[in-house]
Amino acid sequence: MTYLAPRQGLFAIILLVSFCLQTLLLVISTDQQLSNSRALKGEQMVAQLIDEARLSLENKDRVSLSVIANRYTSEQDVTRILIKDNNDDILVPVGNAPMQQGDTIRQIATNGDAVIGSVALTLKDVSKGEIIAMQWPFVIGTMLLHLLLWLIYGYLARPTKEQINALSRDIQELYRDQYRPVDQRGYDRELERQSMGQSASHLADSQVATDNTANATDDEVTNARKFNVHNEVNEYLRTQQNQEAGSDTDNLASASEGSESEIADTDGVASQVASHTSKLSATRSVDSVKVQVVFHDEFNMLERLAPAQRLPYLALCTQLLNQAVTELLRQPLLLGVSAMNEAHFEDNGASVVLKADNSHAKVALAGVMLAKLYLMLNKIIHDKHIELSRFALPAKAGVSDDAQSEPMTHLLQSIGKKEQLLILLPNAGLKQISNHIQVHNIMRPTTVYERECAIFDGANDSLIQRLADVRNAVLMIEDEDEDELHI
């Protein structure tokens, strides 16, 4: 029988690790050598290109520069050549560097002491796969060498017949040493059992007579006990019947009490479900909407702002929102909609409540238009302030009816994003805005309100034009107010 070498699998793992390390070192060393040679070659090419293109670069002759640069891009290692003038304007871009990245060598072109431009040459990176493909004889030879070592180890490290015989003798001696004493003790115990069995047989003969007399007395006792056992069983059955009757009456009383408590609990749960359903009822009418505008302040910058800067900024936002309400409600489309309060911005934002004066007023559409109008105004103000290095914050808005104003506040805090408009309205409100506005639902909602909430996704051309006209009117009023303040 042929035996395998000991731990041959572990030796194979060691050889595999050795092969991987050798291949890695080969790739690293080859890459370093190629990088150095390509860097020297690139510097020489850049210097030669500057010498050839110096006259064309002074005259900014793009045609001649393109012809010269194209000769160099025919090289295999060159992916792009970028020639710029002394004002850092690109004169000639040649090559396809966006498709192939690599090292870039830049050098300034001079004519005497004057700088006439610069040349940037990009060399292609050599991939690891190309290096392995270049060194394939070494990689395959190393793999065959490691495989040969594994086969030689498996052949030479096999145990010989002398080693196997010696191992078997050692195992037999160990077996004898462990199990011979046990067998001897077992033999002694068997002798003791036989002697004890003989003595027990003599004792059994002497006890037969006494056993016969004892059996006669036991029969009498059992016959006497039979009658008593029957009486005890009958008495036990009677007591069990009495206990079951009493427990039935107790269970009826407790069941009646439990049914009363369950009815009370059911009434409480029903009231809670009714109150929750009233908030989410899709058939609820829309007589008024609440527009909430909050700042998108991720780093709580408004709280850290000095009052001398925060209060004027909040006053500007308040003035913008109130003027937006005034100008928007003048639109004929929103006839019959009026504002119930005057907005005032605090650190947590501001809110405006719009109501419908008649059944034909589109109060839901007015709320969505007001929210989108303020987001358009705030974006212009924010960009202008940032351009002037002043403090400003982006905003986000939400539109809901009175029953869902509190859930809308939580939605703005949890899922609201910058410049985003959330809408949480029943079916009557959604029907008002369906002909003018497109919305989409929230992906992967986690609550009931997130499932019912919609996000503003766009509007038709006429509505966008209306909002743009109102925005321009508000900004013109704002500019006139600023001019009066300057005067």
Side-chain angles (χ1 to χ4, degrees):
M1 182 177 180
T2 303
Y3 293 90
L4 297 176
R7 297 183 179 180
Q8 192 170 0
L10 180 61
F11 186 71
I13 294 173
I14 294 173
L15 291 178
L16 180 62
V17 172
S18 173
F19 171 73
C20 294
L21 290 177
Q22 288 186 10
T23 306
L24 179 62
L25 293 175
L26 172 67
V27 171
I28 292 174
S29 61
T30 306
D31 188 18
Q32 186 176 5
Q33 292 175 1
L34 291 176
S35 298
N36 295 332
S37 63
R38 285 189 297 109
L40 293 175
K41 181 180 179 181
E43 292 177 357
Q44 294 176 359
M45 292 174 67
V46 169
Q48 185 177 356
L49 176 60
I50 291 174
D51 291 338
E52 293 181 5
R54 183 173 284 111
L55 182 59
S56 300
L57 192 58
E58 289 179 350
N59 298 327
K60 296 183 180 181
D61 187 359
R62 298 175 183 267
V63 177
S64 300
L65 292 174
S66 298
V67 173
I68 296 172
N70 283 325
R71 291 205 309 267
Y72 287 89
T73 54
S74 60
E75 293 288 336
Q76 185 178 2
D77 295 334
V78 178
T79 62
R80 190 182 185 187
I81 296 176
L82 193 65
I83 302 176
K84 298 180 181 180
D85 59 4
N86 54 356
N87 295 324
D88 205 20
D89 294 330
I90 298 175
L91 296 176
V92 175
V94 180
N96 56 352
M99 302 298 295
Q100 296 180 355
Q101 300 298 326
D103 298 332
T104 301
I105 301 173
R106 293 182 177 85
Q107 188 172 344
I108 297 174
T110 59
N111 188 6
D113 295 334
V115 176
I116 60 175
S118 63
V119 176
L121 186 141
T122 303
L123 298 174
K124 181 180 68 174
D125 279 339
V126 180
S127 64
K128 306 301 185 293
E130 292 179 357
I131 294 176
I132 295 176
M134 291 167 54
Q135 301 291 337
W136 67 268
F138 178 82
V139 174
I140 294 178
T142 305
M143 182 177 63
L144 294 176
L145 177 62
H146 284 79
L147 181 61
L148 182 62
L149 290 175
W150 181 72
L151 294 175
I152 291 174
Y153 171 79
Y155 178 77
L156 296 179
R158 288 181 301 176
T160 60
K161 292 182 179 180
E162 291 78 8
Q163 292 175 344
I164 295 172
N165 294 331
L167 183 61
S168 62
R169 286 194 297 270
D170 293 339
I171 292 173
Q172 289 176 0
E173 291 177 0
L174 180 63
Y175 180 81
R176 293 194 198 97
D177 294 339
Q178 288 181 353
Y179 292 99
R180 184 180 296 174
V182 175
D183 294 340
Q184 184 66 31
R185 286 195 297 270
Y187 178 74
D188 294 338
R189 289 195 188 98
E190 186 65 27
L191 292 176
E192 291 177 359
R193 291 194 192 97
Q194 292 177 0
S195 61
M196 290 176 65
Q198 293 176 359
S199 61
S201 63
H202 292 294
L203 291 173
D205 293 336
S206 62
Q207 290 179 355
V208 170
T210 57
D211 291 337
N212 291 330
T213 57
N215 290 331
T217 57
D218 290 337
D219 293 335
E220 295 178 356
V221 172
T222 53
N223 292 328
R225 285 180 179 175
K226 286 180 181 178
F227 180 77
N228 295 331
V229 168
H230 289 297
N231 292 334
E232 290 177 358
V233 170
N234 292 329
E235 184 178 359
Y236 174 74
L237 292 174
R238 285 194 297 271
T239 56
Q240 289 294 325
Q241 291 176 357
N242 295 329
Q243 290 178 0
E244 289 177 357
S247 64
D248 291 337
T249 56
D250 295 337
N251 290 332
L252 288 173
S254 62
S256 62
E257 294 176 357
S259 62
E260 293 177 356
S261 63
E262 288 177 357
I263 291 171
D265 294 338
T266 305
D267 293 338
V269 172
S271 62
Q272 292 178 2
V273 171
S275 63
H276 185 69
T277 306
S278 64
K279 291 184 178 181
L280 294 174
S281 177
T283 60
R284 187 175 58 254
S285 61
V286 181
D287 298 329
S288 63
V289 296
K290 186 175 183 180
V291 180
Q292 302 182 43
V293 181
V294 297
F295 295 112
H296 186 72
D297 192 2
E298 297 179 341
F299 306 103
N300 296 325
M301 298 175 60
L302 192 61
E303 296 179 358
R304 301 169 185 162
L305 197 65
Q309 296 179 355
R310 182 174 69 251
L311 296 178
Y313 177 69
L314 294 177
L316 174 63
C317 295
T318 301
Q319 184 179 2
L320 272 178
L321 183 56
N322 289 325
Q323 290 177 358
V325 173
T326 303
E327 292 294 327
L328 183 66
L329 296 183
R330 293 177 182 174
Q331 296 292 317
L333 180 64
L334 305 179
L335 187 64
V337 179
S338 60
M340 298 180 62
N341 67 323
E342 186 176 355
H344 183 71
F345 266 91
E346 300 291 342
D347 291 348
N348 56 354
S351 62
V352 178
V353 179
L354 303 177
K355 69 173 182 177
D357 298 333
N358 53 60
S359 59
H360 302 288
K362 298 181 179 180
V363 66
L365 180 61
V368 175
M369 291 178 66
L370 176 60
K372 184 59 180 176
L373 174 61
Y374 185 78
L375 291 178
M376 295 167 63
L377 291 169
N378 187 80
K379 182 172 179 57
I380 295 175
I381 299 299
H382 175 264
D383 294 343
K384 188 65 176 178
H385 278 65
I386 296 300
E387 182 181 352
L388 298 176
S389 300
R390 295 180 182 177
F391 175 79
L393 287 173
K396 51 189 175 182
V399 180
S400 65
D401 55 348
D402 292 336
Q404 301 183 116
S405 60
E406 185 176 354
M408 175 54 71
T409 304
H410 294 300
L411 288 174
L412 287 172
Q413 295 175 356
S414 60
I415 65 172
K417 298 180 181 179
K418 180 174 65 174
E419 305 295 339
Q420 196 175 62
L421 172 55
L422 303 181
I423 302 172
L424 188 60
L425 295 172
N427 288 339
L430 296 176
K431 186 177 180 181
Q432 289 184 15
I433 67 175
S434 61
N435 295 328
H436 305 276
I437 293 170
Q438 295 85 34
V439 297
H440 67 273
N441 295 327
I442 297 174
M443 299 295 293
R444 294 183 292 274
T446 58
T447 63
V448 178
Y449 293 110
E450 290 183 8
R451 188 184 67 231
E452 299 294 331
C453 182
I455 301 176
F456 181 90
D457 199 18
N460 55 25
D461 296 337
S462 61
L463 188 66
I464 292 296
Q465 186 61 42
R466 289 176 186 270
L467 292 176
D469 294 339
V470 178
R471 178 198 61 190
N472 296 335
V474 173
L475 292 177
M476 289 177 64
I477 295 173
E478 183 69 20
D479 294 338
E480 292 176 358
D481 293 340
E482 290 181 359
D483 294 338
E484 292 177 358
L485 290 175
H486 290 303
I487 292 172

